[in-house]
mmCIF file of all heavy atoms in Angstrom:
data_model
loop_
_atom_site.group_PDB
_atom_site.id
_atom_site.type_symbol
_atom_site.label_atom_id
_atom_site.label_comp_id
_atom_site.label_asym_id
_atom_site.label_seq_id
_atom_site.Cartn_x
_atom_site.Cartn_y
_atom_site.Cartn_z
ATOM 1 N N VAL A 179 115.853 160.525 26.077
ATOM 2 C CA VAL A 179 116.468 159.217 26.315
ATOM 3 C C VAL A 179 117.361 158.771 25.172
ATOM 4 O O VAL A 179 118.466 158.264 25.391
ATOM 5 C CB VAL A 179 115.372 158.167 26.595
ATOM 6 C CG1 VAL A 179 115.962 156.763 26.684
ATOM 7 C CG2 VAL A 179 114.628 158.508 27.885
ATOM 8 N N THR A 180 116.901 158.983 23.954
ATOM 9 C CA THR A 180 117.632 158.466 22.789
ATOM 10 C C THR A 180 118.429 159.538 22.057
ATOM 11 O O THR A 180 119.273 159.224 21.224
ATOM 12 C CB THR A 180 116.673 157.786 21.792
ATOM 13 O OG1 THR A 180 115.840 158.777 21.168
ATOM 14 C CG2 THR A 180 115.802 156.764 22.483
ATOM 15 N N GLY A 181 118.124 160.821 22.319
ATOM 16 C CA GLY A 181 118.756 161.899 21.594
ATOM 17 C C GLY A 181 118.233 162.055 20.184
ATOM 18 O O GLY A 181 118.816 162.761 19.357
ATOM 19 N N ASN A 182 117.130 161.411 19.894
ATOM 20 C CA ASN A 182 116.533 161.429 18.544
ATOM 21 C C ASN A 182 115.007 161.404 18.693
ATOM 22 O O ASN A 182 114.467 161.243 19.796
ATOM 23 C CB ASN A 182 117.054 160.226 17.744
ATOM 24 C CG ASN A 182 116.942 160.467 16.251
ATOM 25 O OD1 ASN A 182 116.215 161.339 15.795
ATOM 26 N ND2 ASN A 182 117.669 159.673 15.484
ATOM 27 N N VAL A 183 114.304 161.545 17.570
ATOM 28 C CA VAL A 183 112.852 161.498 17.606
ATOM 29 C C VAL A 183 112.340 160.071 17.406
ATOM 30 O O VAL A 183 111.124 159.836 17.440
ATOM 31 C CB VAL A 183 112.241 162.412 16.528
ATOM 32 C CG1 VAL A 183 112.568 163.863 16.817
ATOM 33 C CG2 VAL A 183 112.699 162.019 15.123
ATOM 34 N N ALA A 184 113.237 159.129 17.230
ATOM 35 C CA ALA A 184 112.848 157.725 17.045
ATOM 36 C C ALA A 184 113.634 156.858 17.988
ATOM 37 O O ALA A 184 114.727 157.227 18.461
ATOM 38 C CB ALA A 184 113.088 157.282 15.594
ATOM 39 N N THR A 185 113.131 155.682 18.298
ATOM 40 C CA THR A 185 113.836 154.755 19.189
ATOM 41 C C THR A 185 114.880 153.988 18.397
ATOM 42 O O THR A 185 114.883 153.993 17.158
ATOM 43 C CB THR A 185 112.843 153.752 19.814
ATOM 44 O OG1 THR A 185 112.174 153.033 18.774
ATOM 45 C CG2 THR A 185 111.805 154.484 20.652
ATOM 46 N N ASP A 186 115.742 153.315 19.122
ATOM 47 C CA ASP A 186 116.815 152.529 18.480
ATOM 48 C C ASP A 186 116.278 151.204 17.975
ATOM 49 O O ASP A 186 115.238 150.706 18.451
ATOM 50 C CB ASP A 186 117.935 152.285 19.503
ATOM 51 C CG ASP A 186 118.566 153.578 19.988
ATOM 52 O OD1 ASP A 186 119.327 154.175 19.208
ATOM 53 O OD2 ASP A 186 118.280 153.984 21.143
ATOM 54 N N ASP A 187 116.992 150.606 17.036
ATOM 55 C CA ASP A 187 116.626 149.329 16.461
ATOM 56 C C ASP A 187 116.800 148.221 17.502
ATOM 57 O O ASP A 187 117.854 148.088 18.098
ATOM 58 C CB ASP A 187 117.510 149.041 15.254
ATOM 59 C CG ASP A 187 117.005 147.849 14.446
ATOM 60 O OD1 ASP A 187 116.589 146.850 15.063
ATOM 61 O OD2 ASP A 187 117.062 147.917 13.222
ATOM 62 N N ILE A 188 115.743 147.436 17.727
ATOM 63 C CA ILE A 188 115.782 146.408 18.759
ATOM 64 C C ILE A 188 115.786 144.999 18.167
ATOM 65 O O ILE A 188 115.588 144.014 18.889
ATOM 66 C CB ILE A 188 114.596 146.544 19.727
ATOM 67 C CG1 ILE A 188 113.262 146.382 18.958
ATOM 68 C CG2 ILE A 188 114.635 147.855 20.463
ATOM 69 C CD1 ILE A 188 112.061 146.258 19.867
ATOM 70 N N SER A 189 116.004 144.883 16.855
ATOM 71 C CA SER A 189 115.854 143.575 16.191
ATOM 72 C C SER A 189 116.885 142.552 16.627
ATOM 73 O O SER A 189 116.675 141.347 16.400
ATOM 74 C CB SER A 189 115.932 143.774 14.662
ATOM 75 O OG SER A 189 117.173 144.349 14.286
ATOM 76 N N ASP A 190 117.964 142.944 17.245
ATOM 77 C CA ASP A 190 119.004 142.007 17.652
ATOM 78 C C ASP A 190 118.931 141.704 19.162
ATOM 79 O O ASP A 190 119.855 141.072 19.690
ATOM 80 C CB ASP A 190 120.391 142.520 17.304
ATOM 81 C CG ASP A 190 120.695 143.883 17.953
ATOM 82 O OD1 ASP A 190 119.768 144.514 18.482
ATOM 83 O OD2 ASP A 190 121.867 144.315 17.924
ATOM 84 N N MET A 191 117.878 142.109 19.813
ATOM 85 C CA MET A 191 117.793 141.924 21.247
ATOM 86 C C MET A 191 117.152 140.573 21.584
ATOM 87 O O MET A 191 116.399 139.989 20.785
ATOM 88 C CB MET A 191 116.972 143.060 21.898
ATOM 89 C CG MET A 191 117.633 144.417 21.739
ATOM 90 S SD MET A 191 116.849 145.652 22.792
ATOM 91 C CE MET A 191 117.207 145.017 24.411
#
Side-chain angles (χ1 to χ4, degrees):
V179 173
T180 69
N182 203 342
V183 295
T185 59
D186 298 286
D187 190 320
I188 61 170
S189 58
D190 59 347
M191 297 192 64

